[in-house]
Amino acid sequence: MTAERSLKPRRFSGLSIKLIATIIVVILAVEVVVYLPSLANFRASWLDDRLRVGVVAARVLDAVPDVMALPRGLTDRLLTSAGANAIVYRREGQSQLIELANPVTPDVVTTADMRQRDIMTLTMGALDTLFAGPGRTLRIVGEGNLDESQVELLMPERPLRQDMLEYSRNIVLISLVIAALTAVTLYLLVSRLFIDPVLRLTQNMLAYRQAPENASLIIVPSNRRDEIGVVERELAAMESDIFSMLRQRRHLADLGLAVAKINHDLRNTLTSAQLLSDQVATLDDPKVQRLAPRLVTTLDKAIGFAQSVLDYGREMASPPVMAPTGIKALVEDAAFDARLVGHPHIGFNNGVPDDLVLNVDAGQLARVLLNLLKNAREALEAANAGTIATPEVTISVETGAGETTISVSDNGPGLPPRARDNLFVAFEGSARAGGTGLGLAIAREITEAHGGRLVFVDQPQGTRFDIVLPAALRAD
């Protein structure tokens, strides 16, 4: 129960958190892009306000040319309203100055020329002010109210920086609120359209994985026509196929167990019948002597069939254990077991090079060769001796850049049409009467487990099978 609960996805995890975080990050990134021009504009407006006071002072200076005649109270009010230490008015090569009674000598002066209004200059000036240290004096330069006139203000930079910091804090707070509200709104919308269906799919897959034979866990597709709807329908079809396959495999397993028991008992019964038939064959009765060989042959076929079914049922799907193996010696052993070596009527030609070594499972590949060689021998023995001058089984090897091919061929009558149509199908691909067709099925499974393939090669005379193995199996 604990393991199942740990596998169950939670709403605010995974895609949900990633979606909310992505929305907030994107909105904040957009706000940063918007923030810099906005901050530059705020700074320019702030400096323009101070310049307007300087223009007013310039008008006063134009009205009263003799600056010394200005009352000290008026000059202090002009400077205080601008927040400046000094105001300089320049026109026609002449300069006039309004300054405090006790002038302050600045240590560090930075210039803000408001005659340059391009966005890059304003942005860089705003960043310079924002990250500057304390104690700097700001020199603001702008145009006066008359042609070719200029107004300059000297003032501490600290008030501008404080206002910019406060403005930045407000922008950050507004951005966070907008990002949060937008993220929540989009999340609720996207959650209903996408997150909830994906969460439903995920929960269904996790639950179905725990009990794939429970048909009630098969997802019921919605009526959506988008990609999620396609996934739901395909998942439902896949789960239905898995459910049917598992039930079929369970039934086949039960049936196979029953057949194995029946075959075991049948084999014991047939063995007893074979012993009796052997005793009957020793009787002198002519009828018995004529019928006994047929009875013995029939019992041998029945016992062989029962034994083949039992062997196929006990076949283990163990992976091959690769090891460097000399193929020529392996072929010789398989040919001996297939009763081709020393056969009185069938020749055997082993064309495998002496130095061919492959990384294969020797035992499993020997079974493949044994099945193919035994099939070839039986086909030649069953053929009419008059139609084949010199019956022969040949093994040859072709080595290419991408694969190694071991060919097993004979010059017999070839495969009948029924066997060609059902090659590699257990119990259906036999080329001779009474056969089970299991040999080729097992040979194909073993070859595929080695990463290769077993191929039937159609040719005018005889039968040929190619064991095609990847070049990676070659031993250096």
Side-chain angles (χ1 to χ4, degrees), residues 395-459:
I395 292 188
S396 59
V397 174
E398 291 184 5
T399 302
E403 56 193 18
T404 300
T405 303
I406 304 174
S407 300
V408 180
S409 60
D410 63 67
N411 57 352
L415 292 178
R418 178 182 179 276
R420 295 191 182 195
D421 295 338
N422 299 281
L423 276 179
F424 312 118
V425 179
F427 303 106
E428 295 186 15
S430 177
R432 60 184 176 85
T436 61
L438 296 177
L440 290 178
I442 295 174
R444 183 190 62 173
E445 291 179 357
I446 294 175
T447 306
E448 291 177 349
H450 281 73
R453 61 188 188 278
L454 183 61
V455 182
F456 168 72
V457 180
D458 195 7
Q459 52 188 16

Side-chain angles (χ1 to χ4, degrees), residues 59-197:
R59 290 178 181 177
V60 173
L61 292 176
D62 280 339
V64 184
D66 188 4
V67 68
M68 298 303 296
L70 286 176
R72 171 53 59 182
L74 178 59
T75 59
D76 290 343
R77 283 197 299 273
L78 289 174
L79 293 173
T80 302
S81 61
N85 297 330
I87 299 175
V88 179
Y89 178 61
R90 305 180 189 275
R91 185 166 66 105
E92 298 178 354
Q94 297 181 354
S95 300
Q96 294 176 296
L97 174 64
I98 302 176
E99 62 178 350
L100 295 173
N102 299 316
V104 178
T105 302
D107 294 330
V108 181
V109 178
T110 181
T111 300
D113 192 346
M114 301 308 296
R115 293 171 297 181
Q116 299 179 2
R117 312 289 294 197
D118 60 282
I119 186 63
M120 183 59 66
T121 301
L122 294 178
T123 302
M124 295 303 296
L127 292 176
D128 180 65
T129 300
L130 189 64
F131 295 102
R136 292 201 315 183
T137 297
L138 186 61
R139 174 174 171 260
I140 309 172
V141 180
E143 296 180 353
N145 61 328
L146 299 177
D147 294 339
E148 298 183 357
S149 61
Q150 177 180 316
V151 178
E152 298 182 10
L153 280 77
L154 291 176
M155 58 176 297
E157 192 181 32
R158 183 178 179 182
L160 172 60
R161 186 170 182 272
Q162 288 179 341
D163 289 347
M164 290 176 63
L165 289 174
E166 183 177 356
Y167 175 80
S168 300
R169 283 193 294 269
N170 294 334
I171 290 294
V172 170
L173 292 177
I174 294 174
S175 299
L176 290 176
V177 172
I178 293 175
L181 292 176
T182 305
V184 171
T185 303
L186 289 178
Y187 171 76
L188 293 177
L189 178 63
V190 174
S191 177
R192 181 171 180 81
L193 294 177
F194 303 107
I195 299 297
D196 288 347

Side-chain angles (χ1 to χ4, degrees), residues 57-367:
R59 290 178 181 177
V60 173
L61 292 176
D62 280 339
V64 184
D66 188 4
V67 68
M68 298 303 296
L70 286 176
R72 171 53 59 182
L74 178 59
T75 59
D76 290 343
R77 283 197 299 273
L78 289 174
L79 293 173
T80 302
S81 61
N85 297 330
I87 299 175
V88 179
Y89 178 61
R90 305 180 189 275
R91 185 166 66 105
E92 298 178 354
Q94 297 181 354
S95 300
Q96 294 176 296
L97 174 64
I98 302 176
E99 62 178 350
L100 295 173
N102 299 316
V104 178
T105 302
D107 294 330
V108 181
V109 178
T110 181
T111 300
D113 192 346
M114 301 308 296
R115 293 171 297 181
Q116 299 179 2
R117 312 289 294 197
D118 60 282
I119 186 63
M120 183 59 66
T121 301
L122 294 178
T123 302
M124 295 303 296
L127 292 176
D128 180 65
T129 300
L130 189 64
F131 295 102
R136 292 201 315 183
T137 297
L138 186 61
R139 174 174 171 260
I140 309 172
V141 180
E143 296 180 353
N145 61 328
L146 299 177
D147 294 339
E148 298 183 357
S149 61
Q150 177 180 316
V151 178
E152 298 182 10
L153 280 77
L154 291 176
M155 58 176 297
E157 192 181 32
R158 183 178 179 182
L160 172 60
R161 186 170 182 272
Q162 288 179 341
D163 289 347
M164 290 176 63
L165 289 174
E166 183 177 356
Y167 175 80
S168 300
R169 283 193 294 269
N170 294 334
I171 290 294
V172 170
L173 292 177
I174 294 174
S175 299
L176 290 176
V177 172
I178 293 175
L181 292 176
T182 305
V184 171
T185 303
L186 289 178
Y187 171 76
L188 293 177
L189 178 63
V190 174
S191 177
R192 181 171 180 81
L193 294 177
F194 303 107
I195 299 297
D196 288 347
V198 172
L199 188 63
R200 175 173 174 258
L201 290 171
T202 305
Q203 291 175 342
N204 175 264
M205 286 187 288
L206 293 174
Y208 188 79
R209 177 177 175 272
Q210 301 297 323
E213 295 188 13
N214 186 354
S216 64
L217 296 178
I218 297 177
I219 191 171
V220 179
S222 63
N223 296 324
R224 297 179 62 142
R225 300 298 178 186
D226 55 7
E227 289 80 359
I228 292 181
V230 173
V231 172
E232 290 177 342
R233 289 188 290 274
E234 292 300 321
L235 179 61
M238 183 186 68
E239 290 177 345
S240 299
D241 292 342
I242 292 176
F243 173 78
S244 301
M245 181 185 66
L246 290 177
R247 292 195 65 179
Q248 183 181 20
R249 290 187 64 179
R250 186 177 62 181
H251 292 168
L252 289 176
D254 295 340
L255 180 61
L257 180 61
V259 170
K261 293 180 179 179
I262 294 172
N263 268 312
H264 184 269
D265 295 338
L266 177 61
R267 182 172 176 272
N268 292 335
T269 303
L270 291 174
T271 302
S272 300
Q274 186 181 34
L275 294 176
L276 292 176
S277 66
D278 291 339
Q279 296 178 4
V280 171
T282 60
L283 299 178
D284 295 333
D285 191 328
K287 292 183 179 180
V288 173
Q289 292 293 329
R290 186 175 67 254
L291 297 177
R294 295 184 180 180
L295 176 61
V296 172
T297 301
T298 302
L299 289 174
D300 287 340
K301 291 181 178 179
I303 293 174
F305 182 83
Q307 185 62 44
S308 298
V309 173
L310 288 175
D311 293 340
Y312 184 75
R314 289 194 296 264
E315 182 72 22
M316 299 298 292
S318 57
V321 179
M322 307 297 190
T325 303
I327 303 302
K328 187 176 183 68
L330 192 68
V331 169
E332 289 290 344
D333 293 341
F336 181 83
D337 293 337
R339 294 186 294 173
L340 278 172
V341 177
H343 196 284
H345 305 294
I346 300 176
F348 175 67
N349 179 21
N350 186 356
V352 179
D354 295 336
D355 58 349
L356 180 61
V357 178
L358 299 178
N359 285 312
V360 295
D361 188 311
Q364 293 190 13
L365 186 58
R367 293 186 61 189

